[in-house]
Amino acid sequence: MKPIRAVRPLAMARDSLAALLLVLPAASGGASCVGAEFTTGAGGATGGGDGAQAGSGGDRSGAGQGTGAATSGGGVAWGGANGAEAGAADGGVVSVVDADLRGVRIIALGDTGEGNLAQNQVADRMSEKCIQVGGCHAVIMNGDNFYDHGVADTGDAQWGPKFEQPYDRPGLNGLPFYAVLGNHDHGPSSSGVRQAQIDYSRLPVGAGPGKRMTDKWHMPSSYYDVRIRSVHLFGIDTVDFTSDEQAVDMRARVAASNARWKIVFGHHPRYTSGAHFSDNEQIGMSGMFDMQRAIYCGADMYMSGHDHDLELIDKGRDALCPNTYFAISGAGSKLRPSGAPIDARQLFYTDRVEGFAYLQFEGDTLLFQFIDKEGAVLYVKSISK
């Protein structure tokens, strides 16, 4: 298939499994997508189907807190602002070249799908942050995109108040939102339709039936990866943790990537000091931990949601993957206090305020921040390779 030149650049600016998941508690200035290469799981981007400062009072932070600053699918290659075409025409790749914006700046949050005041407040602060830093490149969404039971189809009434409207902000408009699925979006504990969130990505922008308000939403498959310059993002479906195909495929993608920074993001955490500590152990023994490790082990960070808090756990927590940090950003719209044990390698934790994570990649340095819904910077860490 011949590459398709973009008409415009991207805008600036199994039964035990079912039983286990059913017992999970219910959740009581412009920018540019730069150098993005986009690949999907089986089914592809164009075909149907799946593939795949310090905390305020009361924060439970562990010692050692740091401070401081291959693939399938139909392929489309996009020309960047200079009109250059890039990418393999048949490899499921999308490339956008923009030499004017240096570094990579990403917002990460999860468990957003309430459409409530807190979600909108977090969105306001996200927008302000992106404007402050001169533009972000992308937002990653860690699942549970629509409470309590996902969406039924691409025309579901929830799309507006729980996604399009909260993120209709000047610093966010034009950004791609790369989303993965959570247990409230599909699976044994949800009546949501997985394919509906995938298909929404393909709707044309416009008003009326069969259209979507913006082109923000990106979920080409239930698992996929996208590269933004020096940063390679790998989105996984942790609800489908018995999928050997997903684990093998995504592990190969992580291993094959020559990106300076590799970030895996999914819904369920591997390590957590949050309220899901106990049930994560249950489903982990059924295979979820093995699936996660198979994929994140070659990455710099595993980012997740599920627990409605903000947490960073130091690298070395998983002895088999000593270079991987573990982050939870699941406070995108609501909180859930925890009585779980504090992780031995916890760097920061709070379940007192909604917020998001901000990741700024510059060369061999990652500036990691947690920011709350009032705009306060709760935690800062500089990570160097």
Side-chain angles (χ1 to χ4, degrees), residues 254-316:
V254 173
S257 174
N258 64 355
R260 181 174 287 139
W261 294 96
K262 304 178 188 181
I263 308 295
V264 176
F265 66 108
H267 184 61
H268 292 82
R270 172 58 182 92
Y271 301 103
T272 176
S273 306
H276 280 298
F277 173 83
S278 296
D279 57 54
N280 262 26
E281 290 295 322
Q282 285 183 291
I283 57 178
M285 290 184 290
S286 297
M288 183 174 69
F289 293 164
D290 290 339
M291 183 274 273
Q292 292 170 324
R293 176 184 283 143
I295 300 168
Y296 71 60
C297 204
D300 299 289
M301 181 175 289
Y302 175 52
M303 170 74 69
S304 62
H306 197 43
D307 274 321
H308 301 171
D309 53 50
L310 303 171
E311 182 172 22
L312 182 64
I313 295 174
D314 205 358
K315 66 180 181 178

Side-chain angles (χ1 to χ4, degrees), residues 166-191:
Y167 304 117
D168 181 13
R169 301 289 190 271
L172 304 177
N173 290 334
L175 291 184
F177 281 59
Y178 296 110
V180 293
L181 297 155
N183 57 288
H184 282 272
D185 295 311
H186 83 108
S189 59
S190 171
S191 59

Side-chain angles (χ1 to χ4, degrees), residues 84-235:
E85 292 177 351
D90 295 315
V93 176
V94 175
S95 294
V96 177
V97 179
D98 183 347
D100 296 327
L101 200 55
R102 298 294 181 232
V104 178
R105 296 176 286 280
I106 294 173
I107 298 287
L109 77 168
D111 304 79
T112 57
E114 287 287 352
N116 60 4
L117 176 61
Q119 183 181 0
N120 282 269
Q121 291 174 316
V122 171
D124 284 334
R125 305 294 87 75
M126 292 163 56
S127 174
E128 291 170 1
K129 181 65 176 181
C130 288
I131 293 172
Q132 174 192 358
V133 299
C136 293
H137 295 75
V139 177
I140 59 178
M141 300 181 68
N142 300 326
D144 278 3
N145 307 308
F146 300 94
Y147 289 106
D148 284 320
H149 292 286
V151 290
D153 51 44
T154 59
D156 196 298
Q158 298 178 92
W159 282 105
K162 295 183 180 180
F163 177 71
E164 297 285 5
Q165 293 160 15
Y167 304 117
D168 181 13
R169 301 289 190 271
L172 304 177
N173 290 334
L175 291 184
F177 281 59
Y178 296 110
V180 293
L181 297 155
N183 57 288
H184 282 272
D185 295 311
H186 83 108
S189 59
S190 171
S191 59
V193 178
R194 170 171 58 181
Q195 192 64 39
Q197 295 196 33
I198 297 169
D199 290 345
Y200 191 77
S201 301
R202 304 169 187 149
L203 294 182
V205 176
K211 304 290 182 65
R212 53 178 173 155
M213 293 173 59
T214 69
D215 60 358
K216 287 186 177 74
W217 182 266
H218 289 262
M219 188 188 291
S221 186
S222 60
Y223 64 87
Y224 61 96
D225 65 290
V226 59
R227 181 162 177 172
I228 307 173
R229 297 180 59 126
S230 63
V231 181
H232 207 150
L233 305 173
F234 303 85

